[in-house]
Structures are given as C-alpha cells and as structure tokens.
Amino acid sequence: MNSWSWEVFFDAFPAVLEGLGITISLTIACYLFALVFGFGWTFIRRIPIKPIRWLIIWVMEFIRSTPPLVQLFFIFYAWPMVPVIGVALDPFTSAVLGLGIHYSTYIGEVYRSGIENVDSGQWEASTALNFSNRQKWTKIILPQAIPPTIPMLGNYLIIMFKEVPLASTIGVLGILSMANDYGAQYWRYLEPLTIVAILFLILSYPSAILINRLEKKMNRRFDKKTVLGRMNKGKGAVM
Amino acid sequence: MNEPMVKFKDVHKSFGDVEVLKGINLDLMPAEKVAVIGPSGSGKTTIIRMLMTLEQPTSGSIIVDGENLWQMEKSGRLVTANEKHLRQVRGDIGMVFQHFNLFPHMTILQNCMTAPIHVKQENKASAKARAIEMLDKVGLGDKLDNYPSQISGGQKQRVAMARALVMRPKIMLFDEVTSALDPELVEEVLEVIRDIAHEGRMTMVLVTHEMEFARDIADRVLFLDKGVIAEQGTPSEVFGHSENERLDSFLRRFRR
Amino acid sequence: MITINALNDVFPILIQGIKITVSVLLASIVLGYLTAFVAGFCRLSKNVILRKITGFYVEVFRGTSLIVQLFWLYYAFPILFGIEVGSNFWAGVLAISLNYGAYMSEIVRGSILSVAKGQTEAATALNMSRFQRMRLVVFPQAVRMMLPEFGNYLILMLKSTSLVSLIGMTDILYYGDILRSSNLSQAPMVYLLVLIFYFILALPLIWLTRKLEGFSKKGVASQ
Ligand SMILES: Nc1ncnc2c1ncn2[C@@H]1O[C@H](COP(=O)(O)OP(=O)(O)OP(=O)(O)O)[C@@H](O)[C@H]1O
Ligand SMILES: [Mg+2]
C-alpha cells in the first residue's frame, strides 16, 4: 500500500473543492432555518397552558437528545412514506429541515437564556411606562436579550458548519461527498479526506477566533463573566 | 537585644512599570504587634503578601527568623528561591484574608484539619482534636459540620482564623479582615484577634482601617503612604498630633 | 393491526443493535473523559512543548467535524501509517473520544482556571505544596464546575454513536437502515422506533445531567 502522494493531492483538490459551494450554502440555509425556528420554540414554550408547555418542552428534549443523523434519515426516507401529509423532499431540503430543526432546539435555549437574563425590573419598568405587550418585547426586552447571545449564536454557526457533512449520507454533494466519490473512484481516500479536514480547519478556526474575540468584547460590555462562555451562569460567591 | 523575627531590607515592588513599594525597611520583633495603616493603594496588602510568598519582591530581601525568604544559596550563588525553599520558610507564617477564602467544598472542621494532616503530617485524631479546640476558641464549636456557605461573614472570618491558628504559626498576617463584613459583625471578629494578641506569643501584622482597634492592641503603628513607611511609632505617637500633613488628613477622615 | 404486526417484526431486529450502540458509547465515555483530563492538564503544564502539542491536537479536533475525523481514521489513517486502527469499533470509539475529548479538555482547563485565585492563595498560606493545592483545593472545586458540562457531553456522545453505522458497525441505526431498504413503506415506523430507542438511552443521561447540575451548585468559589 502506498502512502501520501502530492500528485493525488493536487488531482483531488479541485474535485473536492467543487463541493464547497454546496457545503457553505447548506450551512447558511440550515443556520437561518434554525435561527428562525428557534424563535418559534422560545415563544411557544411560554404558552401559559401547562400541559401544552410541558409537551413542547419534552418534544424539544426529544429532538435535542436523539441523533441528527437519524432525523435526517427520517425526513429523507421516511417522511415521503407517511400517509396523507408525507411528501418527497430533495436531499438539500431534507438536510435544511433535519439539521435546521435539530439545532433550532439549541438556538431556542440560547434565546431563552438571553431573555431570562434581562433583569425583571425591565419588565416592571416597561409596564409602569404603559407599553403594550408587543412594544415591551420589541422595544425593551429583545433589544437587551439578543445582543449578549450573539457570540453564542456565532458559535452555533461554526457548529452547524461542522455538522453539515452529515448530509453527505443522504446525497448532498458537499465536500465530504466529493471526497468520498473521489475515494471510491480511484481507491484513494487519504488525500481527499485530508483535504476536507484542511478545508474545515481553514474555515472554522479563524471564525472561532473571531467569535472568541467578540465574546470577550461582549462580556466586557455587558459586565458579565461567563464561565466557559456559557450563558446564564451567575458569578459564584467568593467564600 | 533580641533578633528580629522578620526583617525587610530595602524591599521594592513594581507591577509592570508602576513601582508600588519604594524601599521598605522594617524589623518585626518576636511577639510584636504591628498595625499598618494608610490610604487605599499605598501598598499595605502588597507588603504582607510578599511576606506570605504570594507576591515576589522586585528587589531587596526579606529575612524570616534568620532565613532569607525569597533567595537561597545554590552552588555558592544567591538565586531566587524555589518552591521547596519557600515551603520551608513560610511554615512559620499564617495569614487571614479580607475575603476569607475558606474552602467551600469542605466543612468548617475539614477546613481546619486539612492542612495539619497533609502539610504537617499530623495524625487525624490529634488534628481533629486541635481543630475542634481552636474552633471552640473562636466560638464556633457548634458549627463543625456546616459548610462555609451556611454561616455568616463574621463566622467565616473566625473560621479562617482558626484555620490559620491550627498550624501554630509564629507570625500571623491579617489583611483588613473586617472590611468585607457587615458593621454588626465586625466586633465579634476583632474580639477574637484581641484574644490572640493578648496571649502574646505570636508576631502579628494587622493591616486595618479600625483605628480604635489598632490603638488598642498594637505595640507599633506604621503609616504607609505612596509606597514608603511615612511615619511610625507607638499608637499614641502616631494617633496623637503629628507633623505629617498626609497622616493628619488621613486620620481626620476617621474622626468625625 | 398492521402496525402491531409490523412492530413485532421490527422491534426484535432493531434491538440487536443496542449492544453495539451501548458498548461504543461506554468505551467512548471512558476514553473521552480520560483524554479530556490528560489534555486539559497538559494545556496547563509549565512545559511549553507539551502545551503547544496538546493545543494543536485540541484545535485540529475542534476545528474539523466528527464525521470527517471518523472517515479519516477509518479510511485514511491506515494508509498513511500502514497500521490498522484495529477495527471499525476502535475507529469509531477513537474518533468520538478524541473529538469530544478535545472539547471537554477545554472545560477541564477552563474550570481549573476559574477557581478563584484566593483559594490557591489560602492554600499557599497554609503551606501546601503545589500538588496539594491542586489535589485538595483547586481540583475538587473545578470538578464541580465541570460536571454539568460533562453531563451535556454524555448526550452529545450518545448521539454521535449513530455515526458508526456509516463505517459498517451493526448498531441500532444499521439495523434500521437494513429494515428500511428491505421494505421502504416501513421506514416511518422504523426510524421513529430508532429515535425512541436513542431517546430511552438518553433519558438516564438527561437525568444524570440534572443531578450533576444540582450537585455542582454547592461548594465552588469561582472567579
Ligand atoms: N497584581 C497586581 N497587578 C497590578 N497592580 C497591582 C497588583 N496588586 C496590587 N497592585 C497595585 O498596587 C498598589 C498597591 O496595592 P495594595 O493592594 O498593596 O494597596 P492597599 O494599601 O492594600 O490598598 P487597599 O487599602 O485598597 O487594600 C495599588 O495601586 C494596586 O493597584
Ligand atoms: Mg489591601
């Protein structure tokens, strides 16, 4: 068995790179879907009817704690077979739905922690100023709740980027699919897979650094110390 | 004349470009009680932190009981002390912190037993007996199994003192031990320090803003200002009228 | 009726995959936590080279995706070094534990660093050695901070075990795929059942995570 070959590397590179556009656009599509859907979760889990709220919390928990890969398969293979409501979806749309819904449950939690971190005095103040319910949200609460969550949301963009190659399993032709195809065709997996790894590193590492900076800046601005960048973690008392 | 217990020889300390201590010379005699007063940022905490080995002096030397604290001899040359040397010398020193620094994952009793057992290799039974004795002495004999989060600030500070005392230090350092406390809890802590002071054996350095208290128990008062000892003397000398303009205005803020 | 019958057919086949899923999970948990602690401490070591090497490992594994690492370990690694990782079991376990070990090592490091400085200072004032300060004072508190995060990673690791079906391991999802390809109309029930299997496995982990969160609320002085 022969090991590393630069020849193969340079031959495989353009082939793999062909998938980059799909990988990136799928990342963005999934991410936007999750951002919007996350809002949905945040609001419906505030419904003041207990059994419904309870049900929603468990549905979120179910989606969050089962594998996104299986959820992808469910949407791609099983959904068309569901009587009455089932429709066949192309791989790209399936991936957007599957990964989008999965990560929307995480994003919903981020929004929630942002909202819960808004001081309760702000609610009282906006009531005292006689804002309407809608105004309270749009003028007072959300403008304070969202900015501190931006670094966390940015993190999820990177996480999404790294999750997107799962979609190669249902035939989305991103970089991982391209590498696998090349591997299957020429029986050379080492170089194309290494190229995929390098592409991921090149794109995600600088973004991670950027978000880290943003987070530090935000923490300073909001005078909040988050341990390990986690939201919603109060400052422990010094004994 | 006795040998001093602690000797500061021309000690300087800078943080980055800022020189915080500009040549401290100081002798502390055995069993002497010294109060350190001075405006915020004058370097009081830094002095005792260097003695506790929490901060390294930029230059100068500190001698503890005849031993050079921050330097040691290595093949004929003086080099910066290593961890082993520091451990050897600082065994005689104990410290009580402004913010208590109790170990939150241990009970009150465990807080006072851990160091004797692990540092001094005392056996568990005698360490426990002594910890209980000390906790009794500071009036917390009934809280042995509580966690620090379950007791008041004044009680925490008294535990911190018991924790330091079980190590039988020859020198005790107190860094504004009452300034993080609610006013009504201050007295119970001062009372304990008074007791310790009256036993007389230990050398004590107290950084404090409690002027009455300093006058009460100190043999000597140091006024630290802008990184130097600007004035020192017996409590009546320092708290009486002084020619030092800055000391005067500093003290005036405490009399109303 | 039809559903009940189909359930009878599907259930016993899926359950065969549980053993693989659980053993991959358990091995990954053990190896993952071990990696996390070793790498976390290495990144705090005084040795620059050790710190740099570990830092490189952490960034590479956090910067690429798990599925790529899995394929790389399974297909590429043996070619590059001429050695097999052992089996697809070990390729799967290694990929999962190295990936999550890298993430969790940051938690180990961050937790140790966020124990309040006053704690180390108090331990120094009691004349503890460097090792004693870590063992008796800092580490026990840092662990309490790590626990809830570690709990979350248990669930992430469980979810990631489903990837081993892609390198030919016969886990739950593998049997699900077999069933689906033999009878496509069964697909909704098959995958729903697979999801429920994973959820049942997740329930004790969710419960444990909540417990750990409660436990960690006591006994930490963080900065
Ligand atoms: N670790 C450090 N890094 C940088 N500067 C420091 C550090 N520790 C202390 N300083 C500075 O050194 C100066 C003296 O500090 P120190 O804590 O000794 O003052 P202090 O007299 O104890 O004041 P206070 O009454 O407020 O406690 C201050 O200006 C402080 O900002
Ligand atoms: Mg001070």
Side-chain angles (χ1 to χ4, degrees):
Chain A
M1 198 157 271
N2 40 2
S3 60
W4 185 264
S5 144
W6 285 105
E7 206 175 313
V8 177
F9 180 88
F10 287 113
D11 186 46
F13 198 83
V16 173
L17 211 56
E18 243 172 74
L20 192 60
I22 298 265
T23 297
I24 289 177
S25 46
L26 183 57
T27 305
I28 293 169
C30 290
Y31 185 62
L32 290 179
F33 189 95
L35 283 183
V36 174
F37 225 69
F39 255 116
W41 290 120
T42 312
F43 282 97
I44 57 173
R45 71 172 287 173
R46 295 180 71 91
I47 288 177
I49 306 160
K50 226 178 185 170
I52 296 185
R53 198 172 58 216
W54 197 78
L55 181 74
I56 290 163
I57 289 172
W58 276 99
V59 168
M60 284 178 82
E61 193 71 66
F62 184 86
I63 296 174
R64 204 180 6 213
S65 40
T66 52
L69 183 62
V70 184
Q71 291 166 8
L72 274 185
F73 287 179
F74 183 86
I75 287 173
F76 187 66
Y77 294 115
W79 189 246
M81 299 297 147
V82 175
V84 192
I85 43 171
V87 280
L89 299 163
D90 64 280
F92 192 90
T93 315
S94 304
V96 173
L97 282 176
L99 296 175
I101 291 173
H102 187 86
Y103 279 94
S104 70
T105 59
Y106 283 91
I107 301 239
E109 288 296 291
V110 174
Y111 292 146
R112 186 173 68 98
S113 72
I115 291 167
E116 280 175 3
N117 271 346
V118 175
D119 187 52
S120 63
Q122 296 294 317
W123 287 96
E124 287 157 18
S126 49
T127 308
L129 291 169
N130 207 16
F131 281 116
S132 74
N133 222 345
R134 199 192 133 92
Q135 285 170 322
K136 267 184 217 169
W137 278 105
T138 55
K139 298 245 158 29
I140 310 292
I141 304 303
L142 290 182
Q144 292 184 67
I146 299 302
T149 65
I150 287 173
M152 276 299 272
L153 294 177
N155 261 330
Y156 274 108
L157 177 59
I158 299 177
I159 291 173
M160 188 65 91
F161 177 55
K162 287 181 287 192
E163 237 15 29
V164 151
L166 282 183
S168 68
T169 57
I170 54 168
V172 175
L173 300 176
I175 47 178
L176 184 58
S177 295
M178 294 302 181
N180 280 334
D181 286 355
Y182 188 95
Q185 198 176 342
Y186 301 100
W187 204 239
R188 296 287 316 201
Y189 281 98
L190 173 58
E191 294 83 0
L193 283 175
T194 307
I195 293 169
V196 173
I198 291 171
L199 285 176
F200 270 103
L201 263 184
I202 290 177
L203 288 167
S204 73
Y205 188 60
S207 334
I209 290 175
L210 214 70
I211 285 173
N212 212 319
R213 287 233 187 97
L214 190 67
E215 183 166 13
K216 284 207 181 110
K217 216 161 115 188
M218 288 284 188
N219 282 347
R220 241 176 287 130
R221 179 148 148 226
F222 292 97
D223 191 30
K224 192 183 297 159
K225 279 188 179 169
T226 54
V227 178
L228 315 166
R230 274 220 319 176
M231 301 280 312
N232 216 2
K233 209 167 179 185
K235 217 159 127 186
V238 176
M239 295 292 169
Chain B
M1 182 75 188
N2 254 337
E3 275 299 301
M5 191 71 202
V6 175
K7 213 172 164 58
F8 279 68
K9 287 201 257 182
D10 194 30
V11 172
H12 291 250
K13 174 69 189 174
S14 307
F15 291 107
D17 295 337
V18 189
E19 188 165 47
V20 187
L21 292 175
K22 302 163 182 162
I24 300 293
N25 288 289
L26 178 63
D27 286 358
L28 303 175
M29 303 312 287
E32 195 184 14
K33 320 290 180 236
V34 176
V36 183
I37 61 172
S40 184
S42 55
K44 307 181 294 291
T45 299
T46 308
I47 288 191
I48 59 176
R49 282 173 60 84
M50 289 190 301
L51 187 50
M52 192 65 259
T53 73
L54 299 175
E55 215 80 73
Q56 187 177 359
T58 313
S59 68
S61 53
I62 303 173
I63 314 293
V64 178
D65 209 2
E67 293 258 14
N68 194 330
L69 179 60
W70 277 103
Q71 277 138 1
M72 58 180 203
E73 215 161 297
K74 195 177 168 191
S75 49
R77 287 187 309 131
L78 268 189
V79 295
T80 302
N82 59 14
E83 174 82 8
K84 190 172 159 229
H85 177 90
L86 288 176
R87 277 196 87 191
Q88 220 171 334
V89 185
R90 73 169 168 233
D92 287 338
I93 311 172
M95 178 163 174
V96 184
F97 297 83
Q98 185 173 357
H99 295 289
F100 331 131
N101 296 346
L102 291 185
F103 304 135
H105 58 300
M106 299 181 190
T107 63
I108 304 308
L109 182 60
Q110 287 165 343
N111 260 280
C112 299
M113 285 171 61
T114 305
I117 291 173
H118 290 97
V119 177
K120 295 188 130 184
Q121 270 91 40
E122 281 179 28
N123 75 50
K124 218 173 157 182
S126 72
K128 183 170 177 180
R130 178 156 170 82
I132 293 175
E133 181 197 333
M134 282 300 151
L135 283 165
D136 266 334
K137 187 168 158 181
V138 299
L140 287 167
D142 56 337
K143 301 276 186 204
L144 300 180
D145 295 322
N146 284 56
Y147 281 87
S149 56
Q150 299 166 325
I151 58 177
S152 74
Q155 291 173 328
K156 280 182 201 170
Q157 199 56 296
R158 287 186 277 148
V159 173
M161 275 185 252
R163 181 176 71 173
L165 287 173
V166 292
M167 298 296 281
R168 304 173 205 270
K170 292 185 190 158
I171 305 157
M172 273 276 268
L173 312 174
F174 299 80
D175 187 12
E176 295 193 33
V177 292
T178 57
S179 59
L181 298 177
D182 293 338
E184 73 271 19
L185 301 177
V186 169
E187 197 45 46
E188 63 182 58
V189 172
L190 295 185
E191 200 50 50
V192 173
I193 304 178
R194 239 176 239 125
D195 279 352
I196 304 170
H198 286 151
E199 282 173 19
R201 289 186 303 267
M202 276 188 296
T203 304
M204 289 167 63
V205 183
L206 303 116
V207 173
T208 184
H209 284 303
E210 302 285 335
M211 298 303 155
E212 280 307 310
F213 175 72
R215 185 203 296 270
D216 244 25
I217 70 157
D219 302 316
R220 181 156 53 123
V221 178
L222 308 179
F223 174 61
L224 206 64
D225 188 32
K226 295 179 173 164
V228 293
I229 299 172
E231 197 70 59
Q232 59 176 311
T234 62
S236 49
E237 284 165 1
V238 173
F239 293 126
H241 67 281
S242 133
E243 270 90 88
N244 190 317
E245 189 66 31
R246 299 209 21 115
L247 173 56
D248 252 10
S249 75
F250 173 74
L251 287 177
R252 223 173 298 128
R253 277 188 283 134
F254 289 89
R255 305 193 191 102
R256 30 194 82 173
Chain C
M1 264 337 271
I2 299 166
T3 6
I4 302 282
N5 276 339
L7 198 65
N8 271 338
D9 294 342
V10 168
F11 191 84
I13 296 180
L14 283 183
I15 203 122
Q16 294 175 51
I18 290 260
K19 207 179 114 210
I20 294 288
T21 298
V22 170
S23 45
V24 170
L25 176 64
L26 290 180
S28 305
I29 288 172
V30 172
L31 213 58
Y33 286 150
L34 195 71
T35 311
F37 279 109
V38 172
F41 275 105
C42 283
R43 292 204 76 185
L44 292 168
S45 130
K46 290 206 295 191
N47 185 327
V48 188
I49 300 168
L50 199 58
R51 238 173 26 226
K52 284 267 147 72
I53 292 175
T54 333
F56 179 75
Y57 149 70
V58 170
E59 293 311 339
V60 166
F61 275 81
R62 293 198 321 157
T64 54
S65 61
L66 176 56
I67 185 173
V68 177
Q69 290 154 22
L70 179 71
F71 285 177
W72 200 90
L73 271 175
Y74 187 63
Y75 293 113
F77 182 84
I79 308 172
L80 189 58
F81 296 101
I83 36 171
E84 296 286 331
V85 181
S87 62
N88 47 8
F89 177 81
W90 284 110
V93 168
L94 266 183
I96 295 171
S97 48
L98 286 177
N99 181 277
Y100 288 109
Y103 282 97
M104 291 190 295
S105 76
E106 288 289 276
I107 293 170
V108 171
R109 187 175 78 112
S111 302
I112 287 173
L113 288 177
S114 55
V115 171
K117 226 173 87 215
Q119 293 291 308
T120 314
E121 293 182 349
T124 308
L126 292 169
N127 207 12
M128 290 186 195
S129 68
R130 201 191 303 273
F131 182 66
Q132 287 171 333
R133 294 196 295 255
M134 181 53 79
R135 180 168 68 96
L136 301 169
V137 176
V138 176
F139 190 69
Q141 295 182 55
V143 165
R144 285 170 172 78
M145 281 188 251
M146 296 171 202
L147 287 179
E149 298 274 354
F150 275 10
N152 290 329
Y153 275 96
L154 284 177
I155 295 161
L156 291 179
M157 282 194 265
L158 168 66
K159 291 194 290 181
S160 70
T161 60
S162 64
L163 292 179
V164 298
S165 67
L166 302 175
I167 54 168
M169 292 221 70
T170 54
D171 72 336
I172 306 176
L173 182 55
Y174 174 87
Y175 284 108
D177 288 341
I178 297 274
L179 285 167
R180 180 253 306 161
S181 51
S182 66
N183 183 355
L184 196 55
S185 67
Q186 278 187 344
M189 198 206 0
V190 169
Y191 284 124
L192 199 62
L193 217 53
V194 171
L195 287 171
I196 290 169
F197 267 124
Y198 279 107
F199 191 57
I200 290 169
L201 289 176
L203 282 175
L205 305 182
I206 295 170
W207 175 84
L208 187 66
T209 306
R210 302 256 155 93
K211 274 265 151 213
L212 295 178
E213 265 161 18
F215 172 66
S216 78
K217 289 217 171 80
K218 318 184 280 195
V220 189
S222 63
Q223 266 176 340

